[in-house]
Amino acid sequence: MRNQWLRLLLLRCHTPSQPHISQVHHLRSFTSSLLHARAPHAIENPFPLRRPFTSSPELAVEPPKPPTDPAVVVADIFSKPEISNDEIKTDLDVKNVIMTHDLILSVLKIPDINPDVAKRVFNWNLESESAMLSSKSYNMMLGILGGSGFVKEAWELIEIMKKKGYGVKKGAHVRISERFLKDGFSDDVEKLKDLYASGSASQVKNDAGGGISVVSDCLRVAEIIGKEVWGDDVEKQLKELDVEFTSDLVTGVLDNLEMDPNKALIFFRWVEDSSVFDHDKQSYNALARVLGTEDHSHKFWRVIDEMRSGGHLMERKTYNHLFEQFLEKKMITDAVDLYEFAMSGGNKPSVKDCTLLLKKIVVSDELCIDLFQKVVGLFKANGNELTDNILNAVIKSLTSVGRMNECNRILAVMKEAGYIPSGSLQRKIAYKLSSFGETAEALEFMDKMVPSSDYTTWISLVHGFCEQQNLDGAYSGVRKMVGELGASCGGRPLDLLVGTYCQKDRALRAYKIVSKLVNEKGVRPWHSTYKTLTRGLLARKHFEEALDIMSMMKNQGYPPDLDSFVAYLSKKGTAEDAITFTRGVSSKRYAATPVFLRLFEAYLSAGKQSEAHDLLSECPRHIKNDAGVLDLFASKAASAATKAADVAV
């Protein structure tokens, strides 16, 4: 027989099924092939602004969250009261969860899952057509309903299962029966028992009337194939069945053999070789869904090539099922090839598919830039435009796996495809790169992607460095910014830099940077920057450097920071320090009388009468003879005498 050798070759890697398993356990109705389109994933604004951009960055760095069981995540989402479908889709996307058949089963397997939550998950997947609901998932849902005492809902679901050709399996039957008996529903127990004994599949007649239904024929054919090793005996039994191998029948058998891809392929070839059926789009799509596993990738692509050569299109439900399966099993190369195949057909993938694929590529064990470039090229070649939303999603994925250092490679590919991020997105990227400690990459990004005049993006860059307390990176950013935009733009970034240095108790280093930028580049720091630096220097007893800062302030028209100096001198300064300060605070030889008054009062209030009198002795004559100064010393002396008298009494 033609191609018999191929079937025998396939049998070599096939492990025979156990022979005494019931038909219900072996078979799944062909209607379980109704795969549904994946729920759309919201990708807008994956890392939104925490507040409008003023003096703070758009973003705050959040620590990576520990991995969570996707089933628990889904259950938590659906347990929220009055949550809309759109909100569900958004939550699933934010948490990077794709609803697949296996994930639905995992949710329904959660011990003691709330029946209402289970119903929401099940019904949402029915309505949104996000993932395939198989006979197994229907039975698990049935067990939850019946086992929780929902009698009416259980029978309603059984009726739906009948129409789909799904039987009630043993596990669901036992669980429901136990609960029905406990609640006293003996009639329902008997009815369920009869249903289970009969195989529970409805015997719906076909359009021609009479004969066995397609569902029943499908079950019979699949049972013969499933319980024995393929050979002449199996082929003989199939021929003797006297069934019509229609498209629906062949597709149903293939779907029922989804757990045994080798036998599905052998059956597919046998039908063709026996001339009992010419394969069409429906049967090719069914086989593609069965073979789309990691272990059968080579066979899958050979069938796909045949499918293309025969002029058969891949159905949307097939593409969605395979796409999700490839991504779930981390078969990224296969997913990209599938995307390419679909892009060449009539049912082209959506923009969200491109976004999802790019996200999965960048979080793979090893980022393959060639695959990323291939997807971008296919996307553009089919008339699509790259957007900020797509890049937002990719950046979020890069961040989640700590790969922001790859951002420039990604951006280079997208730039080559004609895409440049918007100004707001450039600011976010600059902030993320610098806040994640990628100094070289952040500066490279500014050189290659950002217009030199973009002030706000430079600020985001410096703020990110400062947020991470990356002082070298922040200083490099400030210097480059001043070099690109000019000295007049240095106020804000220098304020951020000085504040960070002082927080790190490195005010002396900040002083040297400020001196260099002021004296060599003509930068004009903010008044608040000077005051922050003055306090930081005095806190470490760098008095001379603080005086130099006061001199810079005076030269640039700022008033001196009297509060900081007076507080320092009253605690740690000598009379000589105070005189030096009064000579530097003014353009004249000595400071004005109010400055001396503040110093005297601070010394006397701190209990440093000796230092106060030493300072007074060094003052010019007009200060010594000032009425306010004399009154201050007299009042302090009188107060001290009164206290001494009180103590004596």
Side-chain angles (χ1 to χ4, degrees):
M1 182 178 295
R2 183 166 59 93
N3 285 341
Q4 178 70 16
W5 66 270
L6 176 59
R7 293 196 293 277
L8 292 174
L9 181 62
L10 287 171
L11 282 171
R12 284 187 175 183
C13 58
H14 170 66
T15 302
S17 304
Q18 297 179 4
H20 300 297
I21 299 177
S22 67
Q23 171 178 312
V24 174
H25 181 73
H26 265 300
L27 307 179
R28 297 189 183 184
S29 168
F30 71 93
T31 53
S32 67
S33 66
L34 296 178
L35 307 177
H36 302 302
R38 186 163 33 82
H41 294 269
I43 59 172
E44 292 78 8
N45 201 15
F47 40 97
L49 305 187
R50 293 200 170 188
R51 53 185 176 271
F53 184 88
T54 54
S55 61
S56 300
E58 296 89 338
L59 301 171
V61 180
E62 297 181 359
K65 298 180 180 179
T68 306
D69 183 357
V72 176
V73 172
V74 172
D76 288 343
I77 291 173
F78 281 86
S79 64
K80 297 177 183 178
E82 300 180 1
I83 187 171
S84 67
N85 282 351
D86 288 340
E87 290 171 329
I88 290 173
K89 294 172 185 176
T90 301
D91 279 358
L92 291 172
D93 181 68
V94 167
K95 293 177 172 59
N96 203 24
V97 174
I98 304 173
M99 292 298 289
T100 63
H101 177 248
D102 289 341
L103 180 54
I104 295 170
L105 295 180
S106 297
V107 174
L108 298 179
K109 287 179 183 176
I110 294 176
D112 300 322
I113 186 172
N114 186 310
D116 290 332
V117 174
K119 283 194 291 185
R120 289 191 201 120
V121 174
F122 192 84
N123 291 333
W124 185 81
N125 280 280
L126 279 178
E127 295 170 4
S128 63
E129 299 183 341
S130 66
M132 179 178 67
L133 294 176
S134 64
S135 173
K136 186 173 182 180
S137 52
Y138 271 92
N139 270 274
M140 292 183 69
M141 188 68 240
L142 179 61
I144 292 172
L145 290 174
S148 302
F150 292 92
V151 180
K152 179 182 177 183
E153 289 89 339
W155 283 114
E156 288 175 349
L157 185 59
I158 288 174
E159 289 302 315
I160 295 174
M161 293 170 64
K162 284 183 179 182
K163 294 177 182 178
K164 290 181 171 292
Y166 296 157
V168 176
K169 296 186 178 182
K170 183 177 181 180
H173 172 251
V174 171
R175 185 176 180 183
I176 299 172
S177 297
E178 289 177 351
R179 181 57 186 257
F180 284 2
L181 282 173
K182 180 180 177 181
D183 293 344
F185 298 113
S186 55
D187 291 341
D188 290 277
V189 174
E190 289 300 319
K191 182 179 176 183
L192 184 63
K193 182 179 179 181
D194 293 339
L195 180 69
Y196 180 69
S198 67
S200 73
S202 62
Q203 299 298 310
V204 182
K205 304 296 181 180
N206 57 23
D207 293 339
I212 305 298
S213 69
V214 172
V215 173
S216 180
D217 286 345
C218 168
L219 294 174
R220 294 165 64 203
V221 172
E223 182 182 22
I224 292 172
I225 299 172
K227 71 181 181 180
E228 297 184 26
V229 177
W230 189 283
D232 292 338
D233 184 55
V234 171
E235 294 182 3
K236 181 174 180 292
Q237 290 183 62
L238 292 178
K239 291 178 179 178
E240 291 175 351
L241 276 178
D242 191 26
V243 298
E244 181 182 358
F245 286 91
T246 63
S247 183
D248 286 341
L249 176 64
V250 172
T251 300
V253 173
L254 291 171
D255 288 334
N256 273 292
L257 295 172
E258 64 175 328
M259 302 306 294
D260 198 335
N262 280 322
K263 282 192 174 181
L265 181 56
I266 294 170
F267 170 71
F268 185 90
R269 298 301 186 198
W270 177 82
V271 168
E272 184 178 42
D273 293 345
S274 302
S275 301
V276 295
F277 176 71
D278 291 328
H279 288 300
D280 57 9
K281 181 180 76 172
Q282 189 174 342
S283 60
Y284 266 108
N285 275 267
L287 182 61
R289 292 193 293 270
V290 173
L291 293 178
T293 63
E294 189 172 8
D295 295 335
H296 299 84
S297 179
H298 178 73
K299 300 169 188 175
F300 167 80
W301 286 111
R302 189 167 66 184
V303 168
I304 291 299
D305 288 339
E306 290 180 20
M307 184 175 173
R308 191 203 313 263
S309 300
H312 303 301
L313 292 176
M314 180 175 287
E315 296 172 348
R316 172 62 64 180
K317 64 181 181 182
T318 302
Y319 168 79
N320 288 338
H321 172 70
L322 293 170
F323 188 69
E324 291 174 357
Q325 184 165 280
F326 287 159
L327 294 183
E328 184 180 6
K329 295 182 181 296
K330 298 183 179 181
M331 299 166 61
I332 304 301
T333 300
D334 289 282
V336 172
D337 290 342
L338 180 68
Y339 180 81
E340 180 180 22
F341 176 82
M343 272 296 192
S344 65
N347 296 321
K348 298 186 184 300
S350 66
V351 173
K352 290 183 175 60
D353 287 343
C354 172
T355 304
L356 182 58
L357 190 51
L358 293 177
K359 288 171 61 178
K360 292 297 183 180
I361 290 172
V362 301
V363 300
S364 298
D365 293 339
E366 292 185 11
L367 193 161
C368 180
I369 200 67
D370 291 338
L371 287 179
F372 191 93
Q373 188 171 26
K374 182 176 181 179
V375 173
V376 169
L378 290 168
F379 185 74
K380 283 284 294 181
N382 279 270
N384 300 300
E385 292 297 329
L386 296 165
T387 65
D388 278 5
N389 283 336
I390 295 175
L391 182 57
N392 261 328
V394 173
I395 294 296
K396 182 179 178 182
S397 295
L398 281 174
T399 304
S400 70
V401 292
R403 278 188 182 161
M404 276 304 292
N405 61 315
E406 299 284 2
C407 182
N408 287 326
R409 295 176 70 200
I410 296 300
L411 288 169
V413 171
M414 300 182 78
K415 183 178 181 180
E416 187 177 347
Y419 165 75
I420 299 294
S422 67
S424 61
L425 186 51
Q426 287 178 4
R427 290 192 290 273
K428 295 173 187 177
I429 295 172
Y431 179 82
K432 276 187 170 290
L433 281 170
S434 56
S435 63
F436 275 84
E438 308 295 348
T439 304
E441 288 77 8
L443 296 176
E444 179 186 352
F445 168 74
M446 297 300 295
D447 286 339
K448 294 183 177 180
M449 296 297 298
V450 180
S452 59
S453 60
D454 193 338
Y455 172 82
T456 54
T457 303
W458 279 106
I459 294 297
S460 295
L461 178 88
V462 174
H463 199 291
F465 282 131
C466 292
E467 191 80 13
Q468 192 67 19
Q469 296 193 335
N470 181 350
L471 300 177
D472 291 339
Y475 180 41
S476 297
V478 172
R479 284 192 296 107
K480 287 183 68 68
M481 181 178 179
V482 170
E484 292 283 349
L485 277 68
S488 61
C489 296
R492 171 59 178 156
L494 188 56
D495 185 65
L496 292 169
L497 182 62
V498 168
T500 304
Y501 267 104
C502 290
Q503 287 175 5
K504 295 282 287 182
D505 200 18
R506 296 184 62 186
L508 190 59
R509 172 59 179 162
Y511 158 75
K512 294 177 181 179
I513 290 174
V514 170
S515 298
K516 186 178 184 66
L517 291 175
V518 170
N519 297 325
E520 297 182 8
K521 301 296 183 181
V523 174
R524 178 183 172 87
W526 291 355
H527 189 215
S528 60
T529 306
Y530 277 131
K531 292 177 70 174
T532 298
L533 184 53
T534 299
R535 287 193 298 271
L537 289 169
L538 293 175
R540 302 299 296 173
K541 298 183 180 181
H542 298 302
F543 181 66
E544 292 184 4
E545 288 80 3
L547 289 177
D548 190 31
I549 290 298
M550 185 174 68
S551 177
M552 294 182 200
M553 295 172 71
K554 184 170 60 176
N555 292 338
Q556 293 187 337
Y558 290 125
D561 183 11
L562 294 179
D563 293 340
S564 297
F565 276 100
V566 169
Y568 168 77
L569 291 169
S570 66
K571 294 178 181 178
K572 303 176 182 179
T574 64
E576 184 180 351
D577 289 338
I579 288 297
T580 303
F581 166 69
T582 59
R583 287 175 177 172
V585 76
S586 172
S587 57
K588 299 179 181 180
R589 185 177 179 185
Y590 287 103
T593 302
V595 175
F596 282 97
L597 277 170
R598 287 193 61 182
L599 283 171
F600 290 136
E601 186 170 5
Y603 274 123
L604 293 171
S605 297
K608 294 188 174 184
Q609 284 82 4
S610 176
E611 287 83 353
H613 284 89
D614 288 345
L615 174 60
L616 182 62
S617 66
E618 297 291 334
C619 287
R621 182 176 300 175
H622 73 278
I623 296 297
K624 295 178 181 178
N625 296 330
D626 183 81
V629 173
L630 295 174
D631 287 343
L632 176 63
F633 276 90
S635 64
K636 291 293 183 181
S639 176
T642 302
K643 289 181 179 179
D646 291 340
V647 171
V649 172

